[in-house]
Structure formats: structure tokens, C-alpha cells
Amino acid sequence: MLNIKVFGIVQGVGFRPFVSRIAAANKIFGTVANRGSYVEIFAQGADDDLQKFLAALRDEAPERSAILNVAIDNLPDENFADFRIVDSVHEAGDIFVSPDIAVCDKCAAELFDPTNRRYLHPFINCTACGPRLTILRNMPYDRERTSMDAFPMCDACAEEYHNPASRRYDAQPVCCNDCGPEVYLLGENLRGHEAIRHVRKILAQGGIVAIKGIGGFHLACDARNFAAVNRLRNSKTRPTKPFAVMFRDVDAVSRECILTAAQMKFLDSPQKPIVLLQKISGGTIAGNVAPNINRLGAMLPYTPLHMLLFNFPDALKNFPDALIMTSGNPSGAPITIDDADALKNFGDFCDAILSHDRDILLRADDSVMDFVDDRPSMIRRSRGYAPLPIFYGGKKIPVLAIGGELKNTFCLAKNNLLYASPYIGDVGDLRTVEVLKASINRMRDLLEISPEVVACDLHPRYQTTALATELAAKLNVPLVKVQHHFAHVLSCLAENNHGDAVIGVAFDGTGYGDDGTIWGGEFLICDATTYERAETISPFIQAGGDKSAREGWRIALSMIDIALARELRLATDAELAGQKFLLDKKINCVTSTSAGRLFDAVAAILGVCNVSTYEGEAAMRLQAVAERSTCESCGDFATTAELFAEVVSRRLRGENIFDTARFFHASLAEFVANVCAELSLRTKIKTVALSGGVFQNSLLSSLTATALNRRGLNVLRHELIPANDGGLCVGQAVHARAVSR
Ligand code: ZN
Ligand code: ZN
Ligand code: FE
């Protein structure tokens, strides 16, 4: 008899039914069970049959599963009379929780098949699709440990659940129109299909609806309707930050956006992330959906409810094939997941709130992905991806890394696995701190990790630093503070499974330096244990606190003469004089090497964007402007101060701003490559890691990688872990493990 342990993503993906099918096909007797961290099989049969069974186990595994390791032992035979799935028994070990999976093609077909008993059922799912992480209370993954335990299966569903021939065999969230959860309108007496018809009518007429999804509420309206989008912007106090659009299908996306094969693969994957695509001019999407930039965040329907909203068979004509689907969260707070909060947060401006009675236990915002050189570049890693671990060698100490203050995610690490959490949000808001705490507890329970070290940012005034200090004290374990840009670079090493020293280039907005100044344009020689700040962009003065992080003209003024600033009309004379006063008297001034602020200043000089209404706006708009140029020229500058001066003089000479914006990107890329080449000569290190939010700029990332390759240097870039602060937790965990014990 063989005792087989299968490690990997083997729970919640139809693995046990698959095993019992291949056992039957190969005349194998025995059992299969979930053990929490792995699936355990006892298999008995003829040697030939056992070999075929093992081959099938590896070659025919369900499409959503991922086998990472198979351990096989020989044991004496027992008296098995058949092959069966036995009850789950919990054991400790590495745990793989499946993320939520978009509705599969087979379920989608049944959803609109009038002869199917799940016709138009908003919660149709199977072993290959449906909610997972967001409904999971504990491991192992079984119905009684999910929020589906409130919905006892009807006889028909139970039959499928227990029938090895059914594609719902052992599917934990299985349900139907008779026994499953129900959708309803909050505050109105409409349920089920009536509620869906009503919402379709409201959306078609230009209304705003809050809709409960898999990982939280969305706010939705017709993406072609300028007035509706405008109303949503005013209600959310979100003047220009782009909204994501959910399209009915791929055809609808293709009418509005350019779609490469690689983008298509991710857009239509089981994860169904939001993918940033190049807009086609003359489309029907309203101009205020993603103003001033050339991209649009597009996604496809990923729950049965989304599909019903687009395609419900009623008499309604002209339902939009593109809906705004933006996270339903009050400004600064995490995404809303329950009815009481939905009423409080959206009740006064939504025309309807469509909810359902399946509880969301863990939040999961939509993941957002851009592309650089036709490779993915994750902007927000959440639904569909979290909490899949990344593998990274080194010490195996259990770690909790709290992450950064903005775009927070946290990371739990055990053995060689780093589990980054779903997106939490900006922790400046106390509501977010509460959600962060609760999410840490839930993930610790799920993954069974008792941290022996806690890691956080070096910033003394971050909420996350305070929380980490508190948790470390409570757990009575050491606290490791990790410099922001060091953590960025290490997150890139972890994602690329690179263990050796690198030249790390961390370009981002703001990070606390180990000398108390603002860093953000850093060249670090580092490995997992230590770093040397080898070079930076030219330092400048940031005066005026938070305002200087939003208003690029304030940065520009610290680098040019006030007369010139007046000539370029960077701000009103009074504003310029006020800012000049702060600079001269050194009031609220701090030295900064932030590359993000350098982009803001250039955007202001070129008249592209003087004031950002959301983080990264000026840089995104500057990139959009640069991408309109076909000019290939770039200059060779010893410092970024000289490059900046050249941008200013081109502006004064009245040169084309598209070309100048492009010139700035290309010259900055050359500058980075030159500095790295020098550092490589000195250190003999041949690998450069690019990280930090500024490298989300796909033009800069692409130009920089090309320039580095031309100098014979290898380049590590981010793909599925964000280059922005959403990836910090991973780097913090890497360093904390490396320096512990
Ligand atoms: Zn399915
Ligand atoms: Zn049922
Ligand atoms: Fe950062």
C-alpha cells in the first residue's frame, strides 16, 4: 500500500473527487482525506495500476490545482473494500488556501440554460469555480468551516455533492435556487430575480447602485453616461482618480481598448483582475471615467451575479455593456462588506443597494494589473491572487510583517513560504487599522502561524509602526524595523527568488530614510541582511509638509528661481511668494531625494499637472504625455539636477512638451543605467533590481531595463508582487527572517 501526501493548492479545487475518479479508473482501493496543509491518500492495488494512478495524479490534476510536492511511503497492505473520501483530520504544516475563482465556462453555460435547475441562480459554482478565501473560516476547507454553513444543501445538491461523477462532487459552496443564498434590495421588499430586474432598470436609466460581490461591495453605474459618472465622482469625493470598468464580454472590451494576447490571457483568466489597457480614441466610455490618461482599467464579469446583471433575459433594451465597478468604500476606509455599513455608507446617494446573505469573512478588493514590455506588472494584488504564497529560501522563522502605511498589505511567513495578504488600504484611517488587526488575526488562524518576530517600517509616526510595536510586545517577540526602500528592493528579490547581493534601485514617493530625511530615489547595494546607500538622485528641499507631496509646483520652486516660476505660471504670485517664504526661512522644510516628487516637479514645469488629486496622478499624466511622442532622443546627465535644468530650459524655449516629457523619461533611464554601471564596476555585482512605485511607470521601467541590458547588467523586475508600497510587507519579511536568531 502506498501512503501519498500531496502538497500544494489541493484544497477547494476538486482534488479529492479527482483522486477518487482516477482510483476507480485504475482499480485502486483506499482513502483520500484533507489534512489541512496537504491531501493524504492511502492507495492499494496491483503494481501496474499503482504506477498508472501516480502518473494520473501528476498529469491529470484539476486545472485550478497546483501540485508542489508529492511524498510517497510504502506501508503494509490493509483491508480496503473500495476507495472513498474520508473525513478531514487536521494536521499542522504548510497551508495553501485557494483564492476566490471566477465563474467557469460550464457554470456560465448552465446559468443561462432554461432547462438547468440552476437557471439564473446568482450563486452557481462548482469544484472549479466560486468563492474560497472570502468565505473561509478555518482550514481544512470544508463546508462547515465556511460561511456556506448557514445554507444546508437540498437533496438534489447533496446528491451532486456526494456523487463522484458530478462536477460538483465535494464542491463546498455548492447550492441552487432552492437551497442557496439569495440576493435582495436593502430597504425595499424585492428579492431574487425581481431585485436583479429592478437594478438593471436603474443602471440603464443612469442610476447608481451598490452591489455586494465576492470580496466586498462595488459601486456601479453606466460607464457611458457622463452625468452618472459625474454624480458618482461627487458622491465619492473623487474628482479625477480613474474608475475601473466591467465590460459585458471580450468583444465589448475590444471596442474600447487595445488588447494584446498576453493582456487577454490575464483579463480572461480565472483570477479576472482589472487590467490597464490602452484606450482606443472615439470609444463610447465617458471621458470622465479615466480623465487625462490614455489607459482604462478593464475587467470581465467574474461572479454569476455580474453575468446576470449584464445578460438577464428580460425585455429591457439598451442595457450598457460597460459598467463602472469601483470599490465601495468611504474615502480612506476599507471596502464595505456588510449590510449595516452599506446602508450607512451608500444609503444617501445610491439609488439601490443590491446585497445577498452569504457572509464575506475576509475582504478582497479587485486585483489591478498593468503590463510592461508585455509582461504583467501588478499594481494591486488581492482577489484571485492572495493569499497564494511565494517561495523564498533562507531561514524558516515564522514572521509577521505589517507592511507600509499606504496601500497596505501584510505578510505572514513560515518555512520557505511568504503569504502576502489581500489589499487592506491606507492605514492613516483608524477604520483601516481595525480591519488590518482583524485580518491579521484571521490569516494567522487560517495559516496557523505564530510569529516569532514582527517587522514594520522604520517610520516613527506610521500607524503600522505603532501597531507592530503593540503586537510584538503582546507576542513577546522582537520587533525589526526595515528601511522603506530596502524593503522595496528585497520584495523584488523575493519575487524573483534571487538570494545574492544586488544593486537595488528604489524610486518612489516617500519613505523614511535612516538619517531622518525623505528618501525615494535610492541606489542601494544590498542583500537580505544589510544595505549601503550608494547613490541617490540630486537632493532638493520639500517645504510645506503634505501639500508638497500633492503639489508639484512647490517642489519645482525649490529647484528654480521664483522669477522663472512666475514666467511659467506655476502658481499664483501669492502662492509662489508664500512657498518661497517657507523655503527661505527653512520653515517645515525637509531634504528629499524622492523620485516621485521629481516627476511631480517636471509635470508642473511642463504644465501637465500642477496639483495631484490622487497619489501618482502627476506621474501617470506625465507618462501619458510622453507616450504621445515618437522622439527617441535622450541626454547624458551626471545628476538629476542637471536633467531637471535641461527640462526647464526646453520648456522656456517652447519646445514640444510631448517630446520633452519623453526626453525626461529616456534621460532618467540613462542616468539610472550609468549609475548602476559604475556601481557594478566597483562591487562586481551584475544584477540590478528595480522597485518602488515610480517603476510602475511602464515607459520608465521599459527604457531603464533596456539601458541596463545594453550595459551588460541583468535586471530583476516585479511581475505579480507590486513595485509600490503594496509589496513592502514581503521585503520586510525577507529582512526580518534573515537577521533573526
Ligand atoms: Zn464552475
Ligand atoms: Zn440545492
Ligand atoms: Fe514606497
Side-chain angles (χ1 to χ4, degrees), residues 376-433:
S377 161
M378 194 70 95
I379 307 291
R380 181 167 72 200
R381 180 184 185 272
S382 201
R383 178 187 51 76
Y385 294 92
L388 292 183
I390 40 176
F391 289 78
Y392 194 60
K395 294 183 191 166
K396 298 185 172 182
I397 300 152
V399 178
L400 165 64
I402 297 282
E405 197 79 343
L406 299 176
K407 304 184 174 68
N408 177 274
T409 62
F410 61 90
C411 176
L412 284 158
K414 190 164 81 171
N415 297 333
N416 287 138
L417 300 174
L418 310 173
Y419 305 85
S421 74
Y423 178 81
I424 304 292
D426 294 347
V427 191
D429 188 297
L430 282 178
R431 292 166 292 190
T432 315
V433 177

Short mmCIF file of all heavy atoms in Angstrom, two decimals, residues 376-433:
data_model
loop_
_atom_site.label_atom_id
_atom_site.label_comp_id
_atom_site.label_asym_id
_atom_site.label_seq_id
_atom_site.Cartn_x
_atom_site.Cartn_y
_atom_site.Cartn_z
N PRO A 376 3.20 41.04 -17.11
CA PRO A 376 2.35 41.66 -16.10
C PRO A 376 3.16 42.51 -15.12
O PRO A 376 4.33 42.22 -14.85
CB PRO A 376 1.72 40.47 -15.38
CG PRO A 376 2.51 39.29 -15.76
CD PRO A 376 3.15 39.58 -17.08
N SER A 377 2.53 43.55 -14.61
CA SER A 377 3.12 44.40 -13.59
C SER A 377 1.99 44.71 -12.63
O SER A 377 1.13 45.54 -12.89
CB SER A 377 3.68 45.66 -14.25
OG SER A 377 3.86 46.68 -13.31
N MET A 378 1.99 43.99 -11.49
CA MET A 378 0.87 44.07 -10.57
C MET A 378 0.84 45.42 -9.87
O MET A 378 1.85 45.88 -9.35
CB MET A 378 0.99 42.95 -9.54
CG MET A 378 -0.26 42.72 -8.73
SD MET A 378 -1.59 42.00 -9.71
CE MET A 378 -1.36 40.25 -9.37
N ILE A 379 -0.33 46.06 -9.87
CA ILE A 379 -0.49 47.33 -9.16
C ILE A 379 -1.15 47.06 -7.80
O ILE A 379 -0.77 47.63 -6.79
CB ILE A 379 -1.39 48.30 -9.96
CG1 ILE A 379 -0.88 48.46 -11.40
CG2 ILE A 379 -1.53 49.63 -9.25
CD1 ILE A 379 0.41 49.21 -11.52
N ARG A 380 -2.16 46.20 -7.80
CA ARG A 380 -2.79 45.82 -6.54
C ARG A 380 -3.05 44.32 -6.58
O ARG A 380 -3.78 43.82 -7.43
CB ARG A 380 -4.11 46.58 -6.35
CG ARG A 380 -4.80 46.24 -5.04
CD ARG A 380 -5.93 47.21 -4.72
NE ARG A 380 -7.07 47.01 -5.57
CZ ARG A 380 -8.02 47.94 -5.78
NH1 ARG A 380 -7.93 49.13 -5.24
NH2 ARG A 380 -9.04 47.68 -6.56
N ARG A 381 -2.41 43.59 -5.65
CA ARG A 381 -2.53 42.14 -5.63
C ARG A 381 -3.53 41.77 -4.55
O ARG A 381 -3.26 41.92 -3.36
CB ARG A 381 -1.17 41.52 -5.32
CG ARG A 381 -1.15 40.00 -5.26
CD ARG A 381 0.25 39.54 -4.85
NE ARG A 381 0.42 38.10 -4.89
CZ ARG A 381 0.14 37.30 -3.85
NH1 ARG A 381 -0.34 37.81 -2.74
NH2 ARG A 381 0.35 36.00 -3.97
N SER A 382 -4.69 41.28 -4.98
CA SER A 382 -5.70 40.96 -3.98
C SER A 382 -6.55 39.79 -4.46
O SER A 382 -6.03 38.68 -4.60
CB SER A 382 -6.53 42.22 -3.66
OG SER A 382 -7.16 42.10 -2.42
N ARG A 383 -7.85 40.03 -4.78
CA ARG A 383 -8.74 38.92 -5.16
C ARG A 383 -8.15 38.07 -6.28
O ARG A 383 -7.65 38.59 -7.26
CB ARG A 383 -10.11 39.45 -5.59
CG ARG A 383 -11.08 38.36 -6.03
CD ARG A 383 -12.37 38.90 -6.59
NE ARG A 383 -12.17 39.91 -7.63
CZ ARG A 383 -11.81 39.62 -8.87
NH1 ARG A 383 -11.59 38.38 -9.24
NH2 ARG A 383 -11.64 40.60 -9.74
N GLY A 384 -8.20 36.77 -6.11
CA GLY A 384 -7.71 35.85 -7.14
C GLY A 384 -6.25 35.47 -6.94
O GLY A 384 -5.81 34.44 -7.44
N TYR A 385 -5.49 36.31 -6.25
CA TYR A 385 -4.05 36.07 -6.06
C TYR A 385 -3.70 35.83 -4.59
O TYR A 385 -2.97 34.90 -4.27
CB TYR A 385 -3.23 37.22 -6.62
CG TYR A 385 -3.37 37.33 -8.12
CD1 TYR A 385 -4.34 38.12 -8.71
CD2 TYR A 385 -2.54 36.57 -8.95
CE1 TYR A 385 -4.48 38.19 -10.09
CE2 TYR A 385 -2.67 36.63 -10.33
CZ TYR A 385 -3.64 37.44 -10.89
OH TYR A 385 -3.78 37.48 -12.25
N ALA A 386 -4.18 36.70 -3.72
CA ALA A 386 -3.91 36.50 -2.29
C ALA A 386 -4.82 35.38 -1.79
O ALA A 386 -5.97 35.29 -2.23
CB ALA A 386 -4.19 37.79 -1.52
N PRO A 387 -4.36 34.53 -0.89
CA PRO A 387 -3.05 34.53 -0.21
C PRO A 387 -2.10 33.46 -0.75
O PRO A 387 -1.47 32.78 0.03
CB PRO A 387 -3.46 34.20 1.21
CG PRO A 387 -4.58 33.19 1.03
CD PRO A 387 -5.23 33.50 -0.31
N LEU A 388 -2.00 33.31 -2.07
CA LEU A 388 -1.04 32.34 -2.60
C LEU A 388 0.36 32.76 -2.16
O LEU A 388 0.73 33.91 -2.29
CB LEU A 388 -1.11 32.28 -4.13
CG LEU A 388 -2.38 31.69 -4.70
CD1 LEU A 388 -2.28 31.62 -6.22
CD2 LEU A 388 -2.63 30.30 -4.13
N PRO A 389 1.15 31.82 -1.64
CA PRO A 389 2.47 32.19 -1.14
C PRO A 389 3.51 32.29 -2.25
O PRO A 389 3.33 31.73 -3.32
CB PRO A 389 2.82 31.03 -0.21
CG PRO A 389 2.07 29.86 -0.75
CD PRO A 389 0.83 30.40 -1.42
N ILE A 390 4.58 33.03 -1.98
CA ILE A 390 5.76 32.93 -2.84
C ILE A 390 6.83 32.16 -2.08
O ILE A 390 6.91 32.23 -0.85
CB ILE A 390 6.30 34.29 -3.30
CG1 ILE A 390 6.26 35.32 -2.18
CG2 ILE A 390 5.58 34.82 -4.49
CD1 ILE A 390 6.89 36.63 -2.60
N PHE A 391 7.63 31.46 -2.83
CA PHE A 391 8.68 30.64 -2.25
C PHE A 391 9.95 31.46 -2.18
O PHE A 391 10.33 32.10 -3.16
CB PHE A 391 8.95 29.41 -3.12
CG PHE A 391 7.84 28.43 -3.04
CD1 PHE A 391 6.68 28.65 -3.75
CD2 PHE A 391 7.94 27.32 -2.22
CE1 PHE A 391 5.63 27.78 -3.65
CE2 PHE A 391 6.89 26.45 -2.13
CZ PHE A 391 5.73 26.67 -2.85
N TYR A 392 10.60 31.43 -1.04
CA TYR A 392 11.88 32.10 -0.94
C TYR A 392 12.71 31.36 0.10
O TYR A 392 12.24 31.12 1.21
CB TYR A 392 11.69 33.57 -0.55
CG TYR A 392 12.94 34.40 -0.76
CD1 TYR A 392 13.50 34.51 -2.01
CD2 TYR A 392 13.54 35.06 0.30
CE1 TYR A 392 14.65 35.27 -2.22
CE2 TYR A 392 14.68 35.82 0.11
CZ TYR A 392 15.23 35.92 -1.15
OH TYR A 392 16.36 36.67 -1.35
N GLY A 393 13.93 31.01 -0.27
CA GLY A 393 14.79 30.23 0.63
C GLY A 393 15.25 31.04 1.82
O GLY A 393 14.75 32.12 2.08
N GLY A 394 16.20 30.52 2.56
CA GLY A 394 16.71 31.22 3.72
C GLY A 394 16.15 30.63 5.00
O GLY A 394 15.63 29.53 5.01
N LYS A 395 16.27 31.40 6.08
CA LYS A 395 15.82 30.89 7.38
C LYS A 395 14.31 30.70 7.38
O LYS A 395 13.59 31.36 6.65
CB LYS A 395 16.24 31.86 8.48
CG LYS A 395 17.74 31.95 8.64
CD LYS A 395 18.08 32.88 9.80
CE LYS A 395 19.57 33.19 9.80
NZ LYS A 395 19.86 34.32 10.69
N LYS A 396 13.86 29.80 8.26
CA LYS A 396 12.45 29.42 8.22
C LYS A 396 11.65 29.98 9.40
O LYS A 396 10.62 29.43 9.78
CB LYS A 396 12.34 27.90 8.19
CG LYS A 396 12.99 27.30 6.94
CD LYS A 396 12.78 25.82 6.85
CE LYS A 396 13.27 25.32 5.50
NZ LYS A 396 13.03 23.88 5.34
N ILE A 397 12.12 31.06 9.99
CA ILE A 397 11.48 31.61 11.19
C ILE A 397 10.11 32.21 10.84
O ILE A 397 10.00 32.95 9.87
CB ILE A 397 12.40 32.68 11.80
CG1 ILE A 397 13.72 32.03 12.17
CG2 ILE A 397 11.76 33.38 12.97
CD1 ILE A 397 14.89 32.95 12.16
N PRO A 398 9.08 31.88 11.62
CA PRO A 398 7.76 32.46 11.35
C PRO A 398 7.75 33.98 11.60
O PRO A 398 8.20 34.43 12.66
CB PRO A 398 6.83 31.76 12.34
CG PRO A 398 7.61 30.66 12.96
CD PRO A 398 9.05 30.94 12.75
N VAL A 399 7.26 34.74 10.64
CA VAL A 399 7.32 36.19 10.70
C VAL A 399 5.95 36.79 10.41
O VAL A 399 5.20 36.28 9.59
CB VAL A 399 8.30 36.74 9.63
CG1 VAL A 399 8.32 38.26 9.65
CG2 VAL A 399 9.69 36.19 9.83
N LEU A 400 5.65 37.89 11.10
CA LEU A 400 4.55 38.76 10.70
C LEU A 400 5.15 40.08 10.28
O LEU A 400 5.79 40.76 11.09
CB LEU A 400 3.57 38.98 11.86
CG LEU A 400 2.58 40.14 11.68
CD1 LEU A 400 1.65 39.88 10.50
CD2 LEU A 400 1.76 40.36 12.95
N ALA A 401 5.00 40.45 9.00
CA ALA A 401 5.47 41.75 8.53
C ALA A 401 4.24 42.61 8.25
O ALA A 401 3.38 42.23 7.47
CB ALA A 401 6.32 41.59 7.28
N ILE A 402 4.18 43.76 8.92
CA ILE A 402 2.96 44.58 8.92
C ILE A 402 2.76 45.32 7.62
O ILE A 402 1.65 45.68 7.26
CB ILE A 402 3.03 45.60 10.09
CG1 ILE A 402 3.08 44.86 11.42
CG2 ILE A 402 1.88 46.55 10.07
CD1 ILE A 402 1.75 44.34 11.89
N GLY A 403 3.85 45.60 6.88
CA GLY A 403 3.71 46.34 5.63
C GLY A 403 3.83 47.83 5.84
O GLY A 403 4.24 48.30 6.91
N GLY A 404 3.46 48.60 4.82
CA GLY A 404 3.60 50.05 4.86
C GLY A 404 2.30 50.73 5.24
O GLY A 404 1.31 50.10 5.57
N GLU A 405 2.32 52.06 5.16
CA GLU A 405 1.18 52.85 5.62
C GLU A 405 0.15 53.02 4.51
O GLU A 405 -1.04 53.07 4.75
CB GLU A 405 1.69 54.23 6.09
CG GLU A 405 0.73 55.00 6.94
CD GLU A 405 0.72 54.52 8.39
OE1 GLU A 405 1.21 53.41 8.67
OE2 GLU A 405 0.21 55.27 9.25
N LEU A 406 0.63 53.14 3.27
CA LEU A 406 -0.28 53.30 2.13
C LEU A 406 -0.40 51.98 1.40
O LEU A 406 0.55 51.19 1.37
CB LEU A 406 0.25 54.37 1.17
CG LEU A 406 0.41 55.77 1.76
CD1 LEU A 406 1.04 56.71 0.75
CD2 LEU A 406 -0.96 56.31 2.19
N LYS A 407 -1.57 51.75 0.78
CA LYS A 407 -1.79 50.52 0.01
C LYS A 407 -1.39 49.31 0.83
O LYS A 407 -0.78 48.37 0.32
CB LYS A 407 -0.96 50.53 -1.29
CG LYS A 407 -1.20 51.73 -2.17
CD LYS A 407 -0.40 51.57 -3.46
CE LYS A 407 -0.70 52.66 -4.45
NZ LYS A 407 -0.21 53.98 -4.00
N ASN A 408 -1.73 49.32 2.10
CA ASN A 408 -1.22 48.28 2.99
C ASN A 408 -1.64 46.87 2.60
O ASN A 408 -2.79 46.62 2.24
CB ASN A 408 -1.67 48.56 4.43
CG ASN A 408 -1.22 47.49 5.40
OD1 ASN A 408 -1.88 46.47 5.57
ND2 ASN A 408 -0.07 47.68 6.00
N THR A 409 -0.68 45.97 2.67
CA THR A 409 -0.92 44.54 2.76
C THR A 409 0.05 44.07 3.83
O THR A 409 1.04 44.74 4.09
CB THR A 409 -0.60 43.78 1.46
OG1 THR A 409 0.79 43.94 1.17
CG2 THR A 409 -1.42 44.31 0.28
N PHE A 410 -0.24 42.94 4.46
CA PHE A 410 0.73 42.41 5.41
C PHE A 410 1.14 41.02 4.94
O PHE A 410 0.56 40.47 4.01
CB PHE A 410 0.14 42.37 6.83
CG PHE A 410 -1.08 41.50 6.97
CD1 PHE A 410 -0.95 40.16 7.30
CD2 PHE A 410 -2.34 42.02 6.74
CE1 PHE A 410 -2.08 39.35 7.41
CE2 PHE A 410 -3.48 41.21 6.85
CZ PHE A 410 -3.34 39.87 7.18
N CYS A 411 2.18 40.49 5.57
CA CYS A 411 2.72 39.22 5.11
C CYS A 411 2.97 38.31 6.30
O CYS A 411 3.53 38.73 7.30
CB CYS A 411 4.02 39.47 4.35
SG CYS A 411 4.87 37.98 3.80
N LEU A 412 2.52 37.07 6.19
CA LEU A 412 2.87 36.06 7.18
C LEU A 412 3.80 35.08 6.49
O LEU A 412 3.57 34.70 5.35
CB LEU A 412 1.61 35.35 7.67
CG LEU A 412 0.78 36.17 8.66
CD1 LEU A 412 -0.66 35.70 8.69
CD2 LEU A 412 1.39 36.12 10.06
N ALA A 413 4.88 34.70 7.19
CA ALA A 413 5.84 33.79 6.58
C ALA A 413 6.07 32.62 7.50
O ALA A 413 6.09 32.75 8.73
CB ALA A 413 7.16 34.52 6.32
N LYS A 414 6.20 31.45 6.89
CA LYS A 414 6.52 30.24 7.64
C LYS A 414 7.29 29.33 6.70
O LYS A 414 6.96 29.25 5.52
CB LYS A 414 5.23 29.57 8.13
CG LYS A 414 5.49 28.45 9.12
CD LYS A 414 4.23 28.06 9.89
CE LYS A 414 3.33 27.13 9.08
NZ LYS A 414 2.23 26.57 9.90
N ASN A 415 8.29 28.64 7.21
CA ASN A 415 9.15 27.80 6.38
C ASN A 415 9.67 28.62 5.20
O ASN A 415 10.14 29.73 5.39
CB ASN A 415 8.41 26.54 5.95
CG ASN A 415 8.06 25.71 7.18
OD1 ASN A 415 8.75 25.78 8.19
ND2 ASN A 415 6.98 24.95 7.11
N ASN A 416 9.55 28.12 3.98
CA ASN A 416 10.05 28.91 2.85
C ASN A 416 8.93 29.63 2.11
O ASN A 416 9.06 29.97 0.94
CB ASN A 416 10.82 28.01 1.88
CG ASN A 416 12.16 27.61 2.46
OD1 ASN A 416 12.58 26.49 2.34
ND2 ASN A 416 12.84 28.55 3.11
N LEU A 417 7.83 29.86 2.80
CA LEU A 417 6.67 30.45 2.13
C LEU A 417 6.34 31.81 2.70
O LEU A 417 6.28 31.99 3.92
CB LEU A 417 5.47 29.51 2.29
CG LEU A 417 5.67 28.12 1.71
CD1 LEU A 417 4.49 27.23 2.05
CD2 LEU A 417 5.86 28.21 0.20
N LEU A 418 6.12 32.78 1.80
CA LEU A 418 5.71 34.12 2.20
C LEU A 418 4.29 34.34 1.69
O LEU A 418 4.06 34.32 0.49
CB LEU A 418 6.65 35.17 1.60
CG LEU A 418 8.16 34.95 1.78
CD1 LEU A 418 8.94 35.99 0.98
CD2 LEU A 418 8.54 35.03 3.25
N TYR A 419 3.35 34.51 2.63
CA TYR A 419 1.95 34.70 2.24
C TYR A 419 1.59 36.18 2.36
O TYR A 419 1.46 36.69 3.47
CB TYR A 419 1.01 33.94 3.17
CG TYR A 419 1.24 32.45 3.32
CD1 TYR A 419 2.16 31.95 4.25
CD2 TYR A 419 0.50 31.53 2.58
CE1 TYR A 419 2.36 30.59 4.43
CE2 TYR A 419 0.69 30.16 2.75
CZ TYR A 419 1.61 29.69 3.68
OH TYR A 419 1.79 28.36 3.86
N ALA A 420 1.44 36.86 1.24
CA ALA A 420 1.01 38.26 1.29
C ALA A 420 -0.51 38.31 1.32
O ALA A 420 -1.19 37.56 0.62
CB ALA A 420 1.56 39.02 0.09
N SER A 421 -1.04 39.19 2.15
CA SER A 421 -2.49 39.26 2.39
C SER A 421 -3.20 39.94 1.23
O SER A 421 -2.56 40.58 0.40
CB SER A 421 -2.75 40.07 3.66
OG SER A 421 -2.55 41.45 3.40
N PRO A 422 -4.54 39.85 1.20
CA PRO A 422 -5.28 40.73 0.29
C PRO A 422 -5.05 42.19 0.66
O PRO A 422 -4.56 42.49 1.75
CB PRO A 422 -6.75 40.35 0.52
CG PRO A 422 -6.73 39.05 1.25
CD PRO A 422 -5.43 38.98 1.99
N TYR A 423 -5.43 43.07 -0.24
CA TYR A 423 -5.27 44.51 -0.07
C TYR A 423 -6.06 45.00 1.14
O TYR A 423 -7.23 44.66 1.29
CB TYR A 423 -5.76 45.17 -1.35
CG TYR A 423 -5.72 46.68 -1.37
CD1 TYR A 423 -4.53 47.34 -1.64
CD2 TYR A 423 -6.87 47.42 -1.15
CE1 TYR A 423 -4.50 48.73 -1.69
CE2 TYR A 423 -6.85 48.80 -1.21
CZ TYR A 423 -5.66 49.45 -1.48
OH TYR A 423 -5.63 50.81 -1.52
N ILE A 424 -5.43 45.78 2.01
CA ILE A 424 -6.13 46.33 3.17
C ILE A 424 -6.49 47.80 2.93
O ILE A 424 -7.63 48.20 3.12
CB ILE A 424 -5.28 46.22 4.45
CG1 ILE A 424 -4.86 44.77 4.71
CG2 ILE A 424 -6.03 46.80 5.64
CD1 ILE A 424 -5.97 43.81 5.07
N GLY A 425 -5.52 48.62 2.49
CA GLY A 425 -5.82 50.02 2.19
C GLY A 425 -4.85 50.97 2.86
O GLY A 425 -3.76 50.57 3.27
N ASP A 426 -5.25 52.22 2.97
CA ASP A 426 -4.39 53.24 3.57
C ASP A 426 -4.64 53.30 5.07
O ASP A 426 -5.74 53.61 5.52
CB ASP A 426 -4.64 54.60 2.91
CG ASP A 426 -4.19 54.59 1.45
OD1 ASP A 426 -3.49 53.63 1.05
OD2 ASP A 426 -4.55 55.52 0.71
N VAL A 427 -3.59 53.03 5.84
CA VAL A 427 -3.75 52.80 7.27
C VAL A 427 -3.78 54.09 8.08
O VAL A 427 -3.88 54.08 9.29
CB VAL A 427 -2.67 51.82 7.79
CG1 VAL A 427 -2.96 51.34 9.19
CG2 VAL A 427 -2.59 50.61 6.88
N GLY A 428 -3.70 55.24 7.38
CA GLY A 428 -3.85 56.51 8.08
C GLY A 428 -5.22 56.60 8.74
O GLY A 428 -5.41 57.31 9.72
N ASP A 429 -6.21 55.87 8.19
CA ASP A 429 -7.58 55.90 8.69
C ASP A 429 -7.76 54.84 9.78
O ASP A 429 -7.37 53.69 9.61
CB ASP A 429 -8.51 55.61 7.51
CG ASP A 429 -9.97 55.80 7.86
OD1 ASP A 429 -10.49 55.07 8.73
OD2 ASP A 429 -10.61 56.68 7.25
N LEU A 430 -8.37 55.24 10.90
CA LEU A 430 -8.48 54.31 12.03
C LEU A 430 -9.34 53.10 11.72
O LEU A 430 -9.11 52.01 12.23
CB LEU A 430 -9.03 55.05 13.26
CG LEU A 430 -7.98 55.91 13.97
CD1 LEU A 430 -8.59 56.66 15.14
CD2 LEU A 430 -6.80 55.06 14.45
N ARG A 431 -10.36 53.29 10.84
CA ARG A 431 -11.19 52.15 10.44
C ARG A 431 -10.33 51.09 9.76
O ARG A 431 -10.53 49.90 9.90
CB ARG A 431 -12.31 52.60 9.50
CG ARG A 431 -13.36 53.48 10.17
CD ARG A 431 -14.24 54.17 9.15
NE ARG A 431 -13.49 55.16 8.37
CZ ARG A 431 -14.04 56.04 7.55
NH1 ARG A 431 -15.36 56.04 7.36
NH2 ARG A 431 -13.31 56.91 6.88
N THR A 432 -9.33 51.57 9.00
CA THR A 432 -8.46 50.64 8.29
C THR A 432 -7.56 49.90 9.28
O THR A 432 -7.28 48.72 9.10
CB THR A 432 -7.61 51.39 7.25
OG1 THR A 432 -8.47 52.28 6.55
CG2 THR A 432 -6.99 50.43 6.26
N VAL A 433 -7.12 50.61 10.33
CA VAL A 433 -6.30 49.95 11.34
C VAL A 433 -7.06 48.78 11.95
O VAL A 433 -6.51 47.68 12.14
CB VAL A 433 -5.87 50.94 12.45
CG1 VAL A 433 -5.08 50.22 13.53
CG2 VAL A 433 -5.06 52.08 11.86
#
